[in-house]
Amino acid sequence: MALPTTERARLLLDQLSKRILVLDGAMGSMIQAYKLEEKDFRGERFANHTHDQKGNSDLLVLTRPDVIQAIHEAYLAAGADILESNTFTATTIAQADYGLESLAYELNKAGVEVARNACKKFEAADPSKPRFVAGILGPTNRTASISPDVNNPGYRNVSFDELVVAYTEATRGLLDGGADLLMIETSFDTLNAKAAAYAVLSLFDELGYRVPLMISGTI
């Protein structure tokens, strides 16, 4: 039996049946335009954290949500119908570089909530045009198909099961934040993408509902 969808997911599918919906653009280059420094990424909460945080763009949903929401609003003002949450590296695997693995769930939930705030603002101004949030699952900084060591082609620094665990936690945060749909984004490894899809579909079964799922690949 097919799983039910959320009310927002049904609205999204209804809109898609009537018109083409426009996805927003790049987040990283827009953040760079703000010329943020280490203190911006750290904020007060992470002022004494042991790892450098400059470049950890996903952390900004907690430390500089004003910047992220402003970028979201700029895309909506330009005509975007769907915002991508600023959660491209918000998995335990990717956040390990910054020593912030424990924040994975929080980052994903907050990332969707910041985007949702921007949508609510524009929907209030024009209720006839609903805006949607795509919860983003990035590829991580590891590949399950290729060895990072050219001298040891059989070596892997991440397993399928480890990816599933990481993607499940991230997806739970995105859905709890209120994502209208999910997007496995910029997949460069089909095995990583399969792990993400498996995690998402398994979580749908656990929760008893589903939202639309998109996958984008890069070559």
Side-chain angles (χ1 to χ4, degrees):
M1 186 174 68
L3 292 172
T5 58
T6 64
E7 181 179 348
R8 291 284 303 180
R10 289 192 293 272
L11 177 60
L12 169 66
L13 294 174
D14 177 67
Q15 290 291 306
L16 283 169
S17 71
K18 299 175 181 177
R19 62 190 178 94
I20 294 173
L21 299 186
V22 178
L23 195 65
D24 64 2
M27 175 62 72
S29 54
M30 294 288 279
I31 290 174
Q32 290 174 9
Y34 282 81
K35 302 186 184 303
L36 301 178
E37 300 297 335
E38 180 73 20
K39 63 181 181 179
D40 294 296
F41 288 87
R42 287 179 175 268
E44 293 184 7
R45 179 176 173 182
F46 305 101
N48 298 315
H49 189 64
T50 55
H51 292 59
D52 290 341
Q53 295 301 317
K54 187 175 181 180
N56 188 5
S57 297
D58 292 5
L59 187 59
L60 295 172
V61 301
L62 300 179
T63 56
R64 290 298 305 271
D66 57 315
V67 169
I68 302 304
Q69 184 166 332
I71 293 171
H72 285 319
E73 290 181 10
Y75 277 121
L76 292 176
D81 299 290
I82 303 174
L83 294 177
E84 299 172 68
S85 61
N86 182 42
T87 54
F88 190 76
T89 61
T91 58
T92 52
I93 294 172
Q95 284 297 312
D97 286 352
Y98 300 99
L100 294 177
E101 301 96 318
S102 63
L103 288 183
Y105 172 86
E106 183 181 357
L107 289 172
N108 283 281
K109 185 173 184 291
V112 171
E113 290 171 342
V114 172
R116 171 69 67 216
N117 288 338
C119 288
K120 286 180 178 178
K121 180 177 178 179
F122 275 72
E123 287 178 342
D126 183 6
S128 68
K129 187 179 180 182
R131 272 74 167 194
F132 303 94
V133 179
I136 295 301
L137 295 164
T140 81
N141 51 359
R142 300 183 186 181
T143 169
S145 296
I146 302 173
S147 172
D149 183 356
V150 294
N151 297 312
N152 186 2
Y155 172 69
R156 299 290 184 272
N157 61 0
V158 71
S159 69
F160 184 89
D161 289 344
E162 289 170 335
L163 287 166
V164 170
V165 170
Y167 279 125
T168 299
E169 182 178 13
T171 303
R172 195 181 299 277
L174 295 172
L175 293 175
D176 286 351
D180 302 311
L181 66 152
L182 298 173
M183 184 173 179
I184 300 170
E185 199 203 333
T186 318
S187 303
F188 61 86
D189 182 338
T190 55
L191 191 56
N192 283 47
K194 287 178 181 178
Y198 179 83
V200 168
L201 296 177
S202 296
L203 189 56
F204 286 164
D205 288 337
E206 176 189 328
L207 297 174
Y209 72 90
R210 64 176 297 134
V211 299
L213 174 63
M214 299 170 61
I215 300 177
S216 75
T218 182
I219 298 175

